[in-house]
């Protein structure tokens, strides 16, 4: 067995808001999209343009309530080339949700409350 990571899925309540967030906050771009023939869901894969790994955003037409993320003890981690600039942007966006100065890292939260760890 030689498994290879492909993607992680986040199910989102407002697809356009999430696409805007990931583009602005992390520079992720749409790689592909699947629309259900009956319009019941849309799946969008986002990529960083550097790796084959994708973030899959799934939107369901009939979903009205925010997703319950439990204790939200899961997260993605990304490396940024200029953490000081990233921090300033994320501070301006108001999406920083946790900082650990001892470990020199921080987290941002997307519109649905998923956490992303920012490293340099």
């Amino acid at each position: 067995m030689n498994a290879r990571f492909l993607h992680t899925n986040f199910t989102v309540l407002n697809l356009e808001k999430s696409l805007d967030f990931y583009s602005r906050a992390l520079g992720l771009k749409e790689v592909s999209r699947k629309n259900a023939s009956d319009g019941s869901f849309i799946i969008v894969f986002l990529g960083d343009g550097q790796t084959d790994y994708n973030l899959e955003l799934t939107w369901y037409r009939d979903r009205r309530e925010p997703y319950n993320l439990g204790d939200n003890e899961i997260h993605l981690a990304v490396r940024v080339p200029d953490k000081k600039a990233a921090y300033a942007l994320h501070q301006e966006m108001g999406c920083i949700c946790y900082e650990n100065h001892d470990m020199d890292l921080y987290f941002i939260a997307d519109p649905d409350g998923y956490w992303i760890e920012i490293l340099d």
Side-chain angles (χ1 to χ4, degrees):
M1 176 63 69
N2 191 11
R4 184 173 149 212
F5 282 113
L6 296 177
H7 68 263
T8 296
N9 173 264
F10 285 171
T11 309
V12 300
L13 196 57
N14 182 320
L15 183 58
E16 291 309 315
K17 189 174 184 179
S18 293
L19 290 173
D20 180 60
F21 173 84
Y22 283 102
S23 174
R24 184 167 178 219
L26 300 174
L28 300 182
K29 303 293 182 214
E30 185 172 326
V31 174
S32 65
R33 178 183 291 241
K34 176 169 177 46
N35 296 298
S37 58
D38 64 358
S40 62
F41 68 87
I42 299 172
I43 298 172
V44 177
F45 289 92
L46 302 176
D48 61 15
Q50 302 170 69
T51 67
D52 292 335
Y53 188 82
N54 289 172
L55 176 60
E56 174 187 347
L57 301 181
T58 302
W59 169 84
Y60 292 105
R61 175 191 61 207
D62 298 331
R63 181 71 183 206
R64 301 287 179 256
E65 298 296 318
Y67 290 93
N68 180 344
L69 303 182
D71 291 334
N72 204 10
E73 289 295 326
I74 60 169
H75 67 273
L76 288 179
V78 299
R79 186 173 311 282
V80 296
D82 183 344
K83 196 164 83 176
K84 187 179 268 188
Y87 184 87
L89 171 65
H90 297 148
Q91 197 168 38
E92 175 188 317
M93 292 176 67
C95 61
I96 297 173
C97 57
Y98 179 77
E99 297 182 58
N100 185 325
H101 298 285
D102 291 336
M103 295 180 68
D104 193 30
L105 58 86
Y106 69 95
F107 289 82
I108 59 174
D110 85 350
D112 290 279
Y114 295 104
W115 283 26
I116 300 100
E117 181 177 1
I118 308 297
L119 302 166
D120 59 4

